[in-house]
Amino acid sequence: MRKPILIIFLIFFIIIIATIASFIIIGLKEEVTVKKDSYLIISIGGDIPEEIIDYGGFPIFEKPLTIKDLLVNIKKAKDDKKIKGIYLKIYPLRIGWAKAQEIRDYLEDFSSSGKKIVTFLETGGNLEYFIASCSKVNLLPTGLLLIKGFASEYIFFKNTLDKLGIKAELEHIGDYKTASNTFTENKFTNAHREMANSLLDDYYERFLREISNSRKKDLKEIKKIIEEGPYLPEDTLKNGLIDRLAYEDEILNEIKKEGFDFIDIKKYSKVKFPLTGKKKIAIVYGLGAIDIGESGKDSIFGAPLIGSDTMTKILNRVKDDKSIKAVVLRIDSPGGSAIASDIILRAELTLKEKKPLIVSMSDLAGSGGYWISLGSDYIISQPWSFTGSIGVIYGKFNLKGFYDKIGITKEIISRGKYAELFSDYREFSPEEKGKIIEEMKWIYETFLKRVSTSRNMKIDEIDKIGKGRVWTGEQAKKLKLIDEVGGVLKAIEIAKSKAKIPKEESVVIEFFPKRKTLWQLIFNSSEGETHLINVDLKHFFAIPFLKSNVYSKALAIMPWIISIN
């Protein structure tokens, strides 16, 4: 009986291996050529991550489009004489405004070569229109463009926790360190409201300025148009927010009649340009909440985690690689463990002794995410990025009331005065709370010292703009928390300059860590990924599920949810 089962299993296994092998062979043999006078088709929508760190580049899997893919391929298309333009289709997006600005930067850099960009929207809102507005905008005749003012919503769970019998015993340093407010309050505190309004004002004013510049309209006129929206399609056209009402087949047929062909970005990504540059710049991704140990994903939501051990290994590797002349650290992180952040900072400081290190901030680089920016020579942030949040929270959830409701009881025995410090079956005693606050103050003072050393500012100055307050990149520039506003392209430009590489010289961009193949995932191998670029470049919910008990240590994290739309 066992023998037939074993034979069936072996046959099944051989079929799987053969199928995989065939896909590999097909993937290796596939040659993509670009026809003369082609338009690059790019469709974006939903979530667009910075990069998929541990995603296998395996032929049988559908690889999602990333910000890195857009960087590489739009930059490649700019220099490709066969590519004459971009046809961009934008579906509803779930990305932050800093990523939207990054995409817009790539498109504007592409159009600076004189090549055209034609954008098509079936529907959309502020975010989708913001990206589209830097090009010729076509809207579906029956599509609604929901351009309107800005609003932000903040959620509070205190009343829910009260009903469940759960008490959030979370302490924080600084009135603006509002990550804990999500669980300890049922509405804004004065400081929380002040910060929320400040962020919203900065976002809205920048949005109006960018649209005013793109559509070549007076700022007051644009403000009036947007605040009276949304409009029906015909009125959107009359107001000058779009260039045309058209169906997609009409647009594509017109491009074809002009003698142009099309190539999709997924195919175009397989087109390899010769790597003629002799010097390298590394882009290292730091994506997700920060914790000690190895990088990975949280087991509940699958959000990425930055492990201090993994990041240190990568930074040491690029430090010791003599072919790499400068490093760009791309950060998209709400923070996390203060200890892990400081370990990463130490690795950055040793790297900086050998070669330039430039930080480029994506949507989030606050608290621990800002901490790990401090080892760089230069910090660049998108004006929309959330950064700063220099502060600390510490505490636990007391589940005693919840346990009582569902009939769970606990008996605790211990040795040592503070052995039960983080028990979820009782509140902190006054002495325990004193211990916690003492440690929090020490970590906050350490944070201030790190910022003081890095930014060459007095501790009192930093404390005034610290206290857990979140700033936009544009605000942070004025406060000297960063050096310049811009994106990855600007970061590469600065990295070249500091490495004394001539502006007109092509460089090879090597990305770390590389997307892993199935083989590498099995054997835990990690290599860099290279591209030639000629330069003229769900976090919050991961926090409670970090590998170690998040509420049994001090955290440098941002407010839980900041959403502006």
Side-chain angles (χ1 to χ4, degrees):
M1 185 68 183
R2 291 182 181 178
K3 192 173 181 179
I5 294 174
L6 181 60
I7 292 172
I8 292 170
F9 175 78
L10 288 173
I11 292 171
F12 181 69
F13 181 75
I14 290 168
I15 291 171
I16 292 175
I17 295 299
T19 303
I20 292 173
S22 67
F23 275 112
I24 293 174
I25 292 168
I26 291 168
L28 291 174
K29 285 186 175 180
E30 183 180 9
E31 291 184 7
V32 177
T33 57
V34 183
K35 294 182 180 180
K36 185 181 178 182
D37 296 336
S38 290
Y39 264 64
L40 178 63
I41 296 179
I42 301 175
S43 297
I44 57 174
D47 180 41
I48 309 176
E50 277 290 329
E51 171 62 328
I52 306 296
I53 298 300
D54 60 354
Y55 194 95
F58 203 59
I60 62 173
F61 298 127
E62 181 70 18
K63 185 172 67 177
L65 194 68
T66 66
I67 298 294
K68 190 199 87 171
D69 293 329
L70 293 172
L71 162 66
V72 171
N73 289 289
I74 293 176
K75 195 66 184 169
K76 185 168 66 177
K78 177 188 174 184
D79 300 327
D80 189 341
K81 293 180 181 179
K82 293 181 179 179
I83 298 294
K84 300 301 181 183
I86 288 175
Y87 176 76
L88 176 66
K89 185 173 182 179
I90 305 177
Y91 295 96
L93 291 160
R94 295 190 307 276
I95 61 175
W97 284 87
K99 286 191 179 73
Q101 181 70 64
E102 202 73 43
I103 297 170
R104 187 177 158 113
D105 287 349
Y106 302 159
L107 295 172
E108 289 179 334
D109 181 62
F110 176 87
S111 61
S112 70
S113 65
K115 298 181 178 183
K116 293 182 179 179
I117 301 174
V118 178
T119 301
F120 176 68
L121 293 165
E122 292 176 338
T123 185
N126 293 335
L127 189 67
E128 294 77 17
Y129 179 70
F130 171 72
I131 296 173
S133 64
C134 68
S135 63
K136 183 177 180 180
V137 186
N138 297 272
L139 178 66
L140 187 75
T142 53
L144 289 177
L145 198 56
L146 303 175
I147 305 297
K148 52 185 177 51
F150 273 33
S152 58
E153 295 184 3
Y154 293 74
I155 191 167
F156 299 92
F157 295 111
K158 184 180 183 302
N159 291 343
T160 301
L161 296 180
D162 287 347
K163 290 179 180 180
L164 294 173
I166 299 172
K167 183 176 181 180
E169 293 194 83
L170 305 175
E171 299 295 329
H172 59 91
I173 296 288
D175 291 340
Y176 300 98
K177 194 66 180 175
T178 56
S180 56
N181 286 13
T182 303
F183 305 103
T184 60
E185 307 292 335
N186 54 25
K187 62 180 181 179
F188 279 134
T189 60
N190 290 336
H192 198 168
R193 183 179 295 278
E194 178 191 346
M195 182 175 69
N197 276 310
S198 173
L199 296 173
L200 186 61
D201 285 342
D202 192 77
Y203 261 51
Y204 189 46
E205 288 167 10
R206 169 158 286 277
F207 177 76
L208 294 174
R209 289 199 307 272
E210 293 285 359
I211 301 304
S212 173
N213 293 334
S214 294
R215 304 309 295 178
K216 296 179 173 54
K217 287 181 176 290
D218 180 75
L219 186 61
K220 289 182 180 178
E221 181 186 0
I222 278 291
K223 185 176 182 180
K224 185 175 186 296
I225 290 172
I226 288 174
E227 291 188 350
E228 291 180 0
Y231 302 95
L232 296 176
E234 294 81 4
D235 294 325
T236 306
L237 180 61
K238 288 178 184 177
N239 287 330
L241 292 176
I242 62 172
D243 298 287
R244 185 186 177 192
L245 294 172
Y247 289 97
E248 185 174 22
D249 63 289
E250 292 180 294
I251 303 165
L252 295 176
N253 286 335
E254 287 175 4
I255 295 174
K256 287 179 182 177
K257 285 179 181 178
E258 292 178 14
F260 296 107
D261 212 311
F262 297 101
I263 183 168
D264 186 85
I265 190 171
K266 291 179 182 178
K267 282 191 175 181
Y268 189 67
S269 65
K270 296 176 183 177
V271 175
K272 303 296 181 184
F273 273 27
L275 299 179
T276 57
K278 294 181 180 179
K279 297 171 183 175
K280 293 180 182 178
I281 290 176
I283 296 183
V284 177
Y285 287 98
L287 311 178
I290 303 168
D291 199 16
I292 58 175
E294 298 293 330
S295 296
K297 292 184 177 181
D298 81 86
S299 58
I300 306 298
F301 296 100
L305 298 174
I306 303 171
S308 55
D309 288 353
T310 302
M311 185 59 73
T312 297
K313 289 174 187 175
I314 293 171
L315 293 173
N316 286 339
R317 177 175 175 177
V318 298
K319 176 190 70 176
D320 297 333
D321 188 332
K322 293 181 180 179
S323 68
I324 294 173
K325 305 304 179 184
V327 180
V328 173
L329 176 59
R330 178 70 170 173
I331 299 174
D332 194 9
S333 171
S337 164
I339 294 171
S341 299
D342 208 48
I343 292 170
I344 295 169
L345 174 62
R346 175 61 185 170
E348 293 169 357
L349 293 172
T350 60
L351 185 156
K352 192 172 72 168
E353 292 175 0
K354 285 194 171 185
K355 57 193 66 173
L357 174 61
I358 312 301
V359 159
S360 170
M361 295 179 172
S362 183
D363 286 328
L364 304 171
S367 212
Y370 184 67
W371 194 315
I372 65 172
S373 303
L374 299 174
S376 63
D377 296 282
Y378 206 79
I379 301 176
I380 299 172
S381 165
Q382 284 291 7
W384 309 87
S385 303
F386 289 129
T387 188
S389 193
I390 301 166
V392 185
I393 71 167
Y394 208 134
K396 67 178 180 180
F397 287 103
N398 177 10
L399 304 180
K400 174 72 165 59
F402 176 68
Y403 289 151
D404 289 344
K405 287 178 182 291
I406 60 176
I408 293 176
T409 59
K410 280 189 177 184
E411 295 267 1
I412 303 172
I413 56 174
S414 60
R415 303 292 184 273
K417 186 175 180 180
Y418 299 106
E420 299 173 22
L421 183 66
F422 290 106
S423 169
D424 65 359
Y425 204 58
R426 66 174 181 80
E427 295 183 4
F428 288 125
S429 69
E431 293 83 3
E432 289 170 337
K433 191 168 287 189
K435 280 279 186 183
I436 288 170
I437 292 172
E438 180 184 8
E439 182 175 343
M440 290 173 65
K441 286 180 178 178
W442 175 76
I443 292 174
Y444 181 61
E445 289 168 5
T446 302
F447 201 163
L448 294 178
K449 289 175 184 176
R450 298 288 187 268
V451 180
S452 175
T453 301
S454 175
R455 305 304 301 167
N456 194 27
M457 297 169 65
K458 294 180 180 179
I459 287 179
D460 288 347
E461 284 183 87
I462 301 160
D463 185 39
K464 288 178 183 177
I465 58 177
K467 296 181 171 59
R469 182 156 183 171
V470 177
W471 305 98
T472 67
E474 190 162 317
Q475 291 170 334
K477 169 74 166 59
K478 295 174 184 176
L479 298 170
K480 301 179 182 179
L481 290 174
I482 67 165
D483 296 291
E484 192 168 347
V485 292
V488 174
L489 294 175
K490 174 61 71 174
I492 294 174
E493 181 184 319
I494 297 296
K496 287 182 68 175
S497 174
K498 289 191 175 292
K500 296 181 171 54
I501 301 172
K503 185 177 181 180
E504 65 278 2
E505 183 177 338
S506 295
V507 293
V508 172
I509 303 297
E510 188 163 5
F511 296 91
F512 292 88
K514 182 183 178 182
R515 292 173 181 169
K516 297 177 183 178
T517 64
L518 182 62
W519 184 268
Q520 289 169 330
L521 286 169
I522 293 170
F523 291 98
N524 196 29
S525 172
S526 178
E527 298 294 336
E529 182 176 5
T530 58
H531 291 276
L532 179 68
I533 295 181
N534 183 25
V535 181
D536 277 70
L537 188 33
K538 297 311 167 203
H539 296 309
F540 298 119
F541 290 114
I543 297 287
F545 304 101
L546 296 182
K547 293 187 287 287
S548 49
N549 185 354
V550 73
Y551 285 111
S552 64
K553 60 182 179 181
L555 289 173
I557 61 173
M558 290 180 62
W560 289 83
I561 299 173
I562 300 177
S563 176
I564 296 178
N565 50 52

